[in-house]
Amino acid sequence: MAHRVCVVGGGSFGSVVARVAANGVGAHPGTFKQTIPWWVRRPEMAEEINEKRVNSQYLGAAHLPEALQASTDLGEVSKGATVCIIALPGEFLANVLALLDQSLHQDCVIVSLIKSLKVNSDCSRVVPYSEVLAAGLSNRPVAALMGPNIYREMARDEFAEATIGCAHRELWPVLVELFETPLFHVDLLTDLVGVEMCGCLKNTVTITCGIAKGLGWGENVKAAIIRRGMLEIGQFLAEFMGSDKGVLLQACGVGDIVLSCNAGRGQALAAAFVEAGGRKSWSELEDEIMNGMRLPDWHNVQNVFKLLDAVPGATERYPLLAQTYRIAFEGAAPTSVLEPLRAAAPTI
């Protein structure tokens, strides 16, 4: 049986991954049906994709393959799909899960591009969105694709790579055929949560680098933040998620951290926050400079701190993550970002 692939979400990353998937589908006609239904929220975006083969808001003039067929009808898009790529901000997920659960094939594999994270009600543990997806979609298998992927460069057909976390090895061949192309390379790991959390936690360090950028500081400070951030993320993965720190050496780890801290949207937003001198909120700045995009970065800083603050001694063990929160949300001086860089560092 040929797999039916669908995409849910028409933002920047969802759009470039949809292009990758369309190329993978075209290269493997024996494995996949040759049309990819694609759910987008706005009718005018669906019309533009189908008639002009572009998504100009996010990808400019980059051509979208004919295989991609956009619609605002989520039920029709997802009906009977055996691979579903979900590219929505985490806070919007609750609006679609019930319908997806009814429409998707019972054995559908879910590929998450979500880089948001949340904590449970008593702030005692992080709840990965792969867990939210599995619970809301009748325990269908979930994979996560994370990596150093600047969407503008991918839209220009420049090479990129990513890591896919998927505990079900039997699904790996299908995922490789779907996503591995001459211009997009994927490595697969069984550590789903480790891959996913690298993508989420690096967003906290991008905010830290943006704070330094907003102060006008240069590459030495950025390098120190990246190094310290990687050490704290590795410690967090081991302590709170039970993951091997070695995942940090993958594209979803060091690759994504280095890229995002140099060219990511989160660091640009944090720089604007510092330059505004606290006179504008994160949501106001997001509306002003992010072209309609919603970033998980500053929300992730909040959620990580909720967990650290609830665990005795954790803010002392993770001084960079904690101080980033205090600067972003408690009015601490941006220059205080240097303090955790002088603290004793975790070990790999």
Side-chain angles (χ1 to χ4, degrees):
M1 179 187 73
H3 286 277
R4 184 176 188 269
V5 180
C6 74
V7 179
V8 177
S12 56
F13 193 40
S15 296
V16 292
V17 172
R19 291 179 89 234
V20 170
N23 291 330
V25 161
H28 300 283
T31 304
F32 303 103
K33 294 183 178 180
Q34 293 300 289
T35 298
I36 300 180
W38 182 8
W39 180 78
V40 298
R41 183 173 55 86
R42 292 185 282 115
E44 59 271 24
M45 180 180 287
E47 181 178 352
E48 182 184 51
I49 291 169
N50 293 334
E51 295 186 2
K52 299 182 179 179
R53 309 313 307 168
V54 296
N55 183 350
S56 60
Q57 179 177 355
Y58 296 114
L59 302 189
H63 177 75
L64 295 170
E66 296 291 333
L68 295 168
Q69 296 296 316
S71 170
T72 58
D73 187 337
L74 180 60
E76 194 61 32
V77 163
S78 58
K79 184 177 180 180
T82 55
V83 180
C84 178
I85 302 167
I86 296 183
L88 295 174
E91 60 266 29
F92 298 152
L93 198 58
N95 300 328
V96 303
L97 283 181
L99 182 53
L100 288 176
D101 193 34
Q102 294 173 6
S103 300
L104 296 172
H105 189 280
Q106 62 182 7
D107 297 322
C108 181
V109 57
I110 311 301
V111 181
S112 172
L113 309 184
I114 300 170
K115 292 188 175 182
S116 305
L117 59 81
K118 60 189 298 185
V119 294
N120 63 354
S121 57
D122 64 358
C123 299
S124 63
R125 62 182 290 266
V126 170
V127 181
Y129 267 92
S130 58
E131 187 175 314
V132 176
L133 287 165
L137 298 174
S138 300
N139 289 314
R140 290 176 173 90
V142 178
L145 186 153
M146 304 284 159
N149 306 137
I150 295 294
Y151 70 93
R152 294 181 298 273
E153 296 178 6
M154 292 176 68
R156 295 195 297 264
D157 292 322
E158 297 182 17
F159 179 83
E161 65 173 353
T163 311
I164 297 176
C166 178
H168 304 273
R169 286 182 178 269
E170 70 275 11
L171 298 175
W172 286 17
V174 170
L175 295 174
V176 169
E177 289 192 1
L178 181 59
F179 293 111
E180 180 78 28
T181 75
L183 294 174
F184 196 68
H185 171 67
V186 292
D187 290 308
L188 285 94
L189 300 178
T190 56
D191 187 359
L192 164 62
V193 170
V195 170
E196 180 182 13
M197 292 306 297
C198 276
C200 298
L201 290 169
K202 64 90 182 177
N203 285 332
T204 62
V205 183
T206 64
I207 295 293
T208 320
C209 280
I211 291 168
K213 180 180 179 181
L215 290 166
W217 294 344
E219 301 304 312
N220 288 342
V221 176
K222 183 192 299 180
I225 290 171
I226 291 173
R227 186 188 76 88
R228 178 74 197 208
M230 285 189 63
L231 290 171
E232 291 194 13
I233 288 172
Q235 180 175 270
F236 191 101
L237 289 172
E239 179 176 353
F240 294 111
M241 311 308 302
S243 290
D244 189 328
K245 297 177 183 179
V247 70
L248 277 174
L249 299 179
Q250 301 295 324
C252 63
V254 62
D256 204 1
I257 293 169
V258 170
L259 180 71
S260 298
C261 288
N262 281 280
R265 294 168 293 186
Q267 57 95 31
L269 187 69
F273 174 80
V274 172
E275 290 163 359
R279 293 183 297 275
K280 293 183 179 180
S281 70
W282 290 93
S283 58
E284 287 174 322
L285 290 166
E286 192 175 59
D287 288 339
E288 285 182 13
I289 67 177
M290 286 295 121
N291 190 32
M293 289 179 279
R294 293 292 177 259
L295 305 190
D297 305 49
W298 57 281
H299 299 286
N300 288 0
V301 169
Q302 291 176 300
N303 285 323
V304 166
F305 186 80
K306 286 179 184 177
L307 174 66
L308 297 181
D309 197 42
V311 176
T315 56
E316 288 75 25
R317 295 197 302 279
Y318 296 88
L320 187 69
L321 297 179
Q323 195 61 23
T324 300
Y325 172 84
R326 295 183 184 112
I327 295 167
F329 297 102
E330 292 185 346
T335 53
S336 68
V337 74
L338 294 179
E339 295 172 8
L341 301 180
R342 300 188 183 98
T347 58
I348 289 292

